[in-house]
Amino acid sequence: MSLVSAASLRLVGPGGSTPADPARREPDELRALAERAARDLEGAPALEIARWAAQTFGDRFCVTSSMADAVLAHLVSRVAPGVDVVFLDTGLHFPETLRVRDEVARTLPVNVRSIRPRLTVGQQDGQYGPRLFNKSPDDCCQLRKVEPLERALTGYDAWAAGLRRDESPSRANTPVVTFDARRGKVKVNPIAAWSQKDVDAYIARFNVPVNELFKQGYGSIGCWPCTRRTKAGEDARAGRWAMFEKTECGLHV
C-alpha cells in the first residue's frame, strides 16, 4: 500500500462498522423519500442528485466505490467534502485498483473506509476449499463483497453507487434514486443516465484518477480471478465472470 494519511484512509477489519445512530430514519420514511426523489430528480444533473442526497442525509450518507475510477467520489466531494467513501477490499483486487484507492485517499477531500471480509483469502481457502471463486463465485462474492457491505452500511441511511444504464442490459432501468428494501436504505445513482462519453469528459475535465487497466483492454474491473479483457463489440461488463451465468456480484440486486 502506498503511503497515505491515516485520516483519509481507514482500513476496517472484519469486526469494523460504522456505529448505528439512534436518530436514523425509519424504513417507511426512507421509502417515501426515495419514491419522491426518484420522480423529482429523474433527468436532473448528477451534481444536483448528489447534492440532494448530501443535504437530505448528512453524515448518514456515504459513497461506495470499486475504484475503477474516482468519478463518483470526486462528484460527491464537490457538494459534501469529507464524505465517507466505502471500498470493499476483497483481498483479490488488482494492484492497479488499490493504487486508485490510495490516490483517492491522498488527493480528494473524502474519507476512504477500506472494508475487509471476515475471512482472509487463506482462511476462506481453509474453510471452503481453495479457489472458491472458480467453484462457486456467488458464494465467494457473498463472503468477500456482500457481507462486508452490509457491515459497512450499518450506520448510514443512504448510499451512492456509480451504476450506469449503458453498462449492461441488466442495468438499463437503473433509477437515479430508489429504496433498497433488502437493506432498508435509500440508494442513490447520480450518474445513472451518463454515457461512457460523459464519464470520459468528466475524467478529462477534472483529471480524475482512473484505473490503468482500462488502457489494457478491460471494460469493467473487479477481482482479478473473475475479470478478463473485453472483446470488440462486447458490453463493458462482459469480462466479468465470463465463464459463468453471472452478471452481478450481488451488491446491486
Side-chain angles (χ1 to χ4, degrees), residues 157-229:
D157 286 339
W159 56 298
L163 302 183
R164 299 200 329 267
R165 295 166 183 166
D166 73 337
E167 290 180 303
S168 67
S170 65
R171 297 184 173 184
N173 297 316
T174 298
V176 294
V177 182
T178 189
F179 180 68
D180 184 341
R182 180 158 64 98
R183 298 182 175 95
K185 301 178 188 298
V186 175
K187 185 176 180 182
V188 185
N189 303 302
I191 63 172
W194 280 18
S195 65
Q196 185 62 51
K197 183 178 179 180
D198 294 325
V199 172
D200 293 343
Y202 190 94
I203 289 169
R205 178 183 178 188
F206 293 103
N207 193 28
V208 172
V210 179
N211 198 307
E212 286 293 318
L213 293 175
F214 285 122
K215 296 179 181 178
Q216 300 176 30
Y218 290 85
S220 177
I221 300 164
C223 296
W224 66 261
C226 301
T227 305
R228 67 158 172 78
R229 292 174 174 85

Side-chain angles (χ1 to χ4, degrees), residues 87 96 112 128 142 145 155 171 187 196 215 239 241 251:
F87 170 71
E96 291 86 348
V112 175
Y128 296 94
Q142 174 66 32
K145 289 186 175 183
R171 297 184 173 184
K187 185 176 180 182
Q196 185 62 51
K215 296 179 181 178
W241 309 285
L251 299 180

Side-chain angles (χ1 to χ4, degrees), residues 64-86:
T64 58
S65 177
S66 66
M67 298 300 171
D69 60 54
V71 168
L72 185 63
H74 184 281
L75 178 83
V76 177
S77 75
R78 292 168 61 191
V79 295
V83 67
D84 286 350
V85 175
V86 173

Side-chain angles (χ1 to χ4, degrees), residues 14 117-118 141-152:
R118 294 191 183 279
C141 286
Q142 174 66 32
L143 291 166
R144 312 210 70 75
K145 289 186 175 183
V146 178
E147 189 281 330
L149 181 66
E150 307 297 335
R151 280 188 283 113

